[in-house]
Amino acid sequence: MSSESSAAILRMRMVNRDLADAGITDERILNAFMKIPREDFVPPGTDLSTAYGNHPLPIGFGQTVSQPYIVAFMLQMLECESGNRILEIGTGSGYQTAILASMGMKVVTIELLPDLAARAKKALRAIVPEADISFIVADGYNGWTPAAPYDCIIVSAAPAIMPEGLEDQLNPAEGRMVLPVGEWHQKLISITRSGDNIVMRESLPVRFVPLVKPRKE
Ligand code: SAH
């Protein structure tokens, strides 16, 4: 069997068993996971069954690509739609960026590490060439104000405490954000903004790499 067709089988199995059977019901999310080849975002030489396992994977520089279920779960919490503007903090491998873009979102993605950003950009240009993605290489600890406001913000690394100013970058009309918060014991937090009113909800315990807070010069 060609590696392309085995990848398609593993991808379908991942979507059915690790996402749909585990409570991800949004067809738009499931369809996006069916489309994006996860093997193209993990280090070369990773075998296919490892690439499609429901666990995080190392991508170099001490970073990981998140577990498929957690990415899908965060997207289901976020309720972000085609045409929405989304800020993704922590481009990493670019896998989640590809999922967001293939759902039709306009993505601003920010990454601290230039080497990871360059690799992700190359993979994304090849896999979703038509996508609306702006790549920023900078510190995104406090978001990215030049392109705000955003309909949605998704954070792929965990700050120890909630960073200041992120919710101000949300669209005042129902802007939404999902992020992990905590050091060792982390929780997913969702935030919804309506004007000046902010509603915060806690969800699953999770384990993300830390959101780095670079020292100010
Ligand atoms: N969504 C990514 C997950 C990558 S892991 C994926 O699908 O692969 C988290 C990423 O956040 C890492 O690449 C790390 O370098 C980046 N990161 C950590 N702190 C950051 C910061 N302050 N600003 C921008 N990116 C940061």
Side-chain angles (χ1 to χ4, degrees):
M1 204 187 314
S2 76
S3 65
E4 213 165 291
S5 56
S6 12
I9 292 168
L10 288 168
R11 192 151 58 237
M12 196 184 296
R13 195 184 296 165
M14 173 188 86
V15 169
N16 290 332
R17 182 189 58 194
D18 301 330
L19 307 184
D21 289 354
I24 306 299
T25 50
D26 188 329
E27 291 290 333
R28 294 164 298 184
I29 298 175
L30 297 173
N31 286 338
F33 276 85
M34 277 303 285
K35 276 193 224 142
I36 302 300
R38 188 164 162 90
E39 68 277 21
D40 290 356
F41 293 91
V42 299
T46 308
D47 67 59
L48 275 178
S49 57
T50 305
Y52 282 99
N54 192 23
H55 44 67
L57 273 176
I59 52 171
F61 307 93
Q63 306 303 324
T64 54
V65 49
S66 311
Q67 177 186 350
Y69 174 73
I70 294 295
V71 175
F73 185 84
M74 288 172 82
L75 289 176
Q76 194 156 273
M77 274 174 97
L78 202 54
E79 295 180 344
C80 210
E81 301 180 347
S82 180
N84 281 173
R85 300 188 69 242
I86 184 164
L87 173 67
E88 176 189 50
I89 304 178
T91 315
S93 66
Y95 177 69
Q96 180 179 270
T97 323
I99 300 279
L100 302 174
S102 80
M103 290 175 74
M105 296 173 205
K106 299 175 175 143
V107 189
V108 176
T109 185
I110 183 163
E111 171 59 52
L112 190 58
L113 302 177
D115 292 347
L116 273 182
R119 214 161 67 189
K121 189 171 182 175
K122 196 168 163 216
L124 286 160
R125 290 261 188 267
I127 289 154
V128 281
E130 310 293 319
D132 185 339
I133 306 174
S134 309
F135 296 89
I136 317 286
V137 181
D139 168 27
Y141 187 89
N142 296 102
W144 182 248
T145 48
Y150 307 98
D151 301 306
C152 305
I153 299 179
I154 187 164
V155 188
S156 308
I161 54 164
M162 180 72 72
E164 275 172 34
L166 283 182
E167 62 265 27
D168 301 337
Q169 292 166 48
L170 286 174
N171 182 342
E174 296 293 309
R176 297 171 305 284
M177 167 159 75
V178 174
L179 78 168
V181 178
E183 269 176 295
W184 187 254
H185 296 286
Q186 302 169 358
K187 285 263 173 72
L188 278 182
I189 308 279
S190 83
I191 289 175
T192 306
R193 174 176 183 193
S194 308
D196 290 333
N197 189 28
I198 301 286
V199 177
M200 204 183 279
R201 287 195 192 84
E202 249 187 46
S203 174
L204 286 188
V206 282
R207 190 88 191 102
F208 277 79
V209 294
L211 185 69
V212 176
K213 189 176 187 179
R215 259 184 256 155
K216 298 267 178 277
E217 306 289 302

